[in-house]
């Protein structure tokens, strides 16, 4: 499977990340700007994009059951209402001068998993957290926490600590939200594994930071396709649109030279492709009872 994605976003941001599809809208974040963007989709382009300001670096947002969003921002979890009002749900989990929240997503039970990264992008001092009303630390010694996903049978969780160059797999227990048995799933070539999503066939779609592509892997880790983009930094992807048939892909201008920025006028926009497979919408946050 060899595909090419095309831009579908009228807005260009610095660092688009963390896309999610929920109730007819695509959401994504512009991390250092602290913006949560929402837009409709007419089957061709995103429509009426509008941003809300989290007031701090915004690593990831997930829809909340009943409306609004839960944010992994700064080094805390916060709630954002539809009108943009932000309310802290936790205190700072780490020193915001050293680390910040990065990628995150809800598991099949509606728990919000999100991890941090050092501002220097190199120190292995970050963590992966899970939040369901209270916070638990799942992993320490992480460098750049990215790329969560769960298999359609809810038995495997996939995770990318980007500088490892790998996607790792864990055994995942939906009832308790615990993970065990970490092992390498695939060594990614041609770029660094950033965000990812999983389609309805259980195949992974992994965004390649620095690689201008999204790679597809089958559930045993074999390469199963490539989506090419005319930009260097591809950050994440999710399924959405009618029937979940569109793969939306986020891209970034971050780290590009002035020449590269001029040569990549669509870096920082959302791209789309219809790969012939579907994927599920975002799982909303639902706190533990
Ligand atoms: Ca990322």
């Amino acid at each position: 499977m060899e595909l090419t994605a095309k831009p579908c976003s009228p807005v260009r941001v610095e660092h688009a990340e963390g896309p999610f599809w929920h109730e007819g809208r695509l959401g994504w974040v512009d991390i250092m700007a602290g913006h949560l963007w929402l837009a409709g989709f007419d089957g061709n382009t995103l429509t009426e994009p509008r941003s809300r300001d989290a007031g701090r670096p915004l690593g990831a947002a997930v829809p909340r059951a009943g409306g609004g969003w839960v944010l992994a921002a700064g080094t805390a979890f916060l709630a954002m209402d539809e009108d943009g009002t932000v309310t802290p749900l936790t205190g700072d989990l780490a020193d915001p001068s050293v680390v910040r929240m990065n990628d995150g997503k809800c598991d099949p039970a509606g728990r919000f998993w999100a991890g941090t990264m050092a501002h220097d992008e190199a120190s292995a001092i970050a963590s992966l957290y899970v939040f369901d009303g209270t916070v638990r630390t799942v992993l320490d010694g992480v460098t750049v926490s990215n790329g969560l996903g769960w298999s359609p049978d809810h038995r495997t969780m996939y995770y990318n600590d980007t500088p490892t160059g790998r996607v790792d797999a864990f055994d995942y227990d939906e009832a308790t939200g615990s993970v065990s048995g970490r092992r390498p799933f695939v060594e990614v070539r041609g770029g660094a594994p950033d965000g990812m999503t999983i389609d309805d066939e259980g195949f992974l779609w992994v965004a390649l930071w620095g690689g201008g592509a999204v790679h597809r892997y089958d559930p045993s880790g074999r390469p199963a396709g490539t989506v090419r983009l005319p930009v260097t930094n591809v950050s994440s992807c999710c399924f959405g649109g009618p029937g979940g048939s569109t793969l939306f892909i986020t891209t970034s201008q971050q780290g590009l030279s002035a020449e590269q920025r001029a040569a990549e006028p669509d870096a920082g926009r959302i791209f789309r492709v219809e790969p012939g497979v579907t994927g599920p919408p975002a799982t909303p946050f639902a706190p533990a009872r």
Side-chain angles (χ1 to χ4, degrees), residues 208-258:
L208 265 63
W209 184 261
V214 175
H215 282 182
R216 186 180 191 229
Y217 299 95
D218 75 15
S220 68
R222 277 191 293 265
T226 300
V227 182
R228 303 206 177 280
L229 295 89
V231 302
T232 302
N233 289 332
V234 183
S235 55
S236 192
C237 53
C238 76
F239 283 92
S245 60
T246 295
L247 184 70
F248 292 103
I249 305 167
T250 51
T251 68
S252 177
Q253 304 184 62
Q254 186 177 297
L256 297 182
S257 66

Side-chain angles (χ1 to χ4, degrees), residues 15 17-18 31 102-103 144-147 162 194-195 235-236:
H15 182 60
E17 254 287 8
I31 294 182
N102 199 43
D103 209 350
V144 180
S145 188
N146 266 314
T162 295
D194 198 338
S235 55
S236 192

Side-chain angles (χ1 to χ4, degrees), residues 114-129:
T116 49
M117 61 176 279
H119 292 296
D120 71 10
E121 303 180 15
S123 306
I125 56 169
S127 300
L128 175 66
Y129 303 98

Side-chain angles (χ1 to χ4, degrees), residues 20-220:
F20 62 92
W21 181 263
H22 181 67
E23 295 182 346
R25 288 192 293 187
L26 184 76
W28 70 97
V29 299
D30 183 4
I31 294 182
M32 293 313 289
H35 291 160
L36 171 61
W37 284 89
L38 278 300
F41 180 57
D42 67 7
N44 185 43
T45 62
L46 297 175
T47 58
E48 299 180 48
R50 190 192 144 196
S51 71
R52 291 162 177 79
D53 187 355
R56 67 213 83 195
L58 175 55
V62 294
R64 186 173 54 181
W69 303 272
V70 178
L71 314 179
T75 60
F77 290 94
L78 308 98
M80 179 183 271
D81 294 333
E82 184 74 29
D83 70 3
T85 305
V86 173
T87 310
L89 298 173
T90 69
D92 282 333
L93 303 174
D95 182 348
S97 71
V98 179
V99 300
R100 64 161 172 83
M101 283 290 196
N102 199 43
D103 209 350
K105 203 171 284 176
C106 282
D107 74 8
R111 306 177 189 93
F112 189 5
W113 297 62
T116 49
M117 61 176 279
H119 292 296
D120 71 10
E121 303 180 15
S123 306
I125 56 169
S127 300
L128 175 66
Y129 303 98
V130 59
F131 176 68
D132 65 358
T134 56
V135 183
R136 186 159 49 87
T137 303
V138 179
L139 296 175
D140 284 316
V142 174
T143 305
V144 180
S145 188
N146 266 314
L148 290 153
W150 288 264
S151 60
D153 67 5
H154 301 177
R155 295 178 63 175
T156 305
M157 186 180 91
Y158 299 97
Y159 180 68
N160 306 339
D161 184 0
T162 295
T164 66
R166 296 192 314 266
V167 178
D168 284 350
F170 292 82
D171 297 322
Y172 164 74
D173 184 336
E174 182 175 357
T176 61
S178 59
V179 289
S180 60
R182 184 175 185 170
R183 65 265 184 192
F185 173 72
V186 70
E187 298 269 352
V188 173
R189 313 257 179 235
D194 198 338
M196 68 180 163
T197 196
I198 297 177
D199 65 32
D200 288 327
E201 298 176 353
F203 287 47
L204 282 67
W205 298 77
V206 181
L208 265 63
W209 184 261
V214 175
H215 282 182
R216 186 180 191 229
Y217 299 95
D218 75 15
S220 68

